[in-house]
Amino acid sequence: MMNIETLRSYCLSLQGVTESFPFDEVTLVFKVGNKMFALTNLDGPLSVNIKCDPDEAITLREQYMAVTPGYHMNKVHWNTVMVDGSIPDKTIKLWILNSYNLIFSSLPKKVQQSITNP
């Protein structure tokens, strides 16, 4: 089952990703182009907030008990995924990648190019 180090390593493996603690010392935020695509709380059970297409966000909540509206986030666009073993790691990684791609595609072309051609 995924743990915080696996989650962190995966997020940091994506091109142009940075990590920081902009809110407090327990909320680890992953960004691409200075925009959040994932965040996790280091205090308590492992979960990750990820951005989703609004329709997909609802579908995932209906399909999986471990997926709920984004905690402290815009509930239309963000889901919180409890990493409790009920969802395969590869599925969670795919959702993280989808969140990354949503954010990356919303970045200005110049910023995208600076990430893909550093």
Side-chain angles (χ1 to χ4, degrees), residues 48-114:
V48 61
N49 281 16
I50 51 175
K51 190 160 188 174
C52 298
D53 168 82
D55 292 332
E56 181 184 15
I58 292 167
T59 300
L60 296 178
R61 293 173 202 164
E62 291 172 350
Q63 276 186 306
Y64 300 94
M65 293 288 296
V67 179
T68 57
Y71 182 70
H72 285 301
M73 305 295 284
N74 179 321
K75 313 275 188 252
V76 173
H77 296 280
W78 289 84
N79 277 342
T80 296
V81 179
M82 295 303 302
V83 182
D84 60 6
S86 66
I87 301 170
D89 289 359
K90 70 177 188 172
T91 302
I92 295 172
K93 287 179 179 179
L94 176 63
W95 294 344
I96 291 169
L97 179 61
N98 289 345
S99 179
Y100 170 92
N101 287 333
L102 272 174
I103 297 301
F104 184 85
S105 67
S106 74
L107 297 172
K109 294 293 180 209
K110 194 172 192 173
V111 175
Q112 289 180 13
Q113 289 173 347
S114 72

Side-chain angles (χ1 to χ4, degrees), residues 11-12 14-20 29-38 99-116:
C11 288
L12 292 174
L14 302 172
Q15 198 165 22
V17 171
T18 59
E19 63 180 340
S20 63
V29 174
F30 298 97
K31 296 180 179 181
V32 60
N34 210 30
K35 294 182 93 179
M36 289 190 307
F37 72 92
S99 179
Y100 170 92
N101 287 333
L102 272 174
I103 297 301
F104 184 85
S105 67
S106 74
L107 297 172
K109 294 293 180 209
K110 194 172 192 173
V111 175
Q112 289 180 13
Q113 289 173 347
S114 72
I115 292 167
T116 57

